[in-house]
Amino acid sequence: GDPAVSAALLEGIAGLRYPADGLDTRQVADIRKLKARMESERVPRGTDPRRHVKLGPGGLSDVEWTVQLLQLQHAHAVPGLRTTGTLPALDAAVAAGLLASDDADALRESWEMATRIRNATMLLRGRATDTVPTDARERAAVAELLGYAKGEASFFLDDWTRRARQARAVMDRVFWGLL
């Protein structure tokens, strides 16, 4: 479409996208309830949530919900947060002092590895999937596509588990407000 029309539209709705006072406590509670509901309902039955790189603990969804909550709370005052990119928003949150760089690194590493796992699994299977393969041969092939040596599939799984656990700890503090 016309870039001028797009710019005018985005300018016109900026107040809705980035409320002047951020979010109130009720709105944050509503967002948290929605995320909790999604966590309890969306992972397919019979799937180990720890292997689900999108919806499992520390996966893509956790990172994106955390970043998007920061955007909704602070983008009115921090223009760098006004982006559709998860990683640029993480950088902006660190630059604005809203997120510690170690926390941003944990979120980034989980997001990047989850994305790479999804891509490698898609290359292997020829269709999209959001889970780390349970089949040992498929898991080994994904590990090799990610750069692990033959026989290092367990290291791959350990690396994913560690990154996801670290990202979930950040989410627990930043998104859920737990200490």
Side-chain angles (χ1 to χ4, degrees), residues 10-56:
L10 292 175
E11 171 117 9
I13 63 169
L16 296 171
R17 292 172 71 199
Y18 315 113
D21 295 324
L23 299 176
D24 62 34
T25 55
R26 188 194 95 263
Q27 290 169 315
V28 171
D30 287 345
I31 290 169
R32 287 174 175 160
K33 280 186 214 173
L34 185 61
K35 172 64 170 147
R37 182 176 171 201
M38 188 199 78
E39 285 184 359
S40 69
E41 295 178 1
R42 295 279 316 269
V43 175
R45 290 189 195 274
T47 301
D48 180 351
R50 294 169 299 175
R51 289 183 176 269
H52 205 284
V53 298
K54 181 177 180 183
L55 301 174

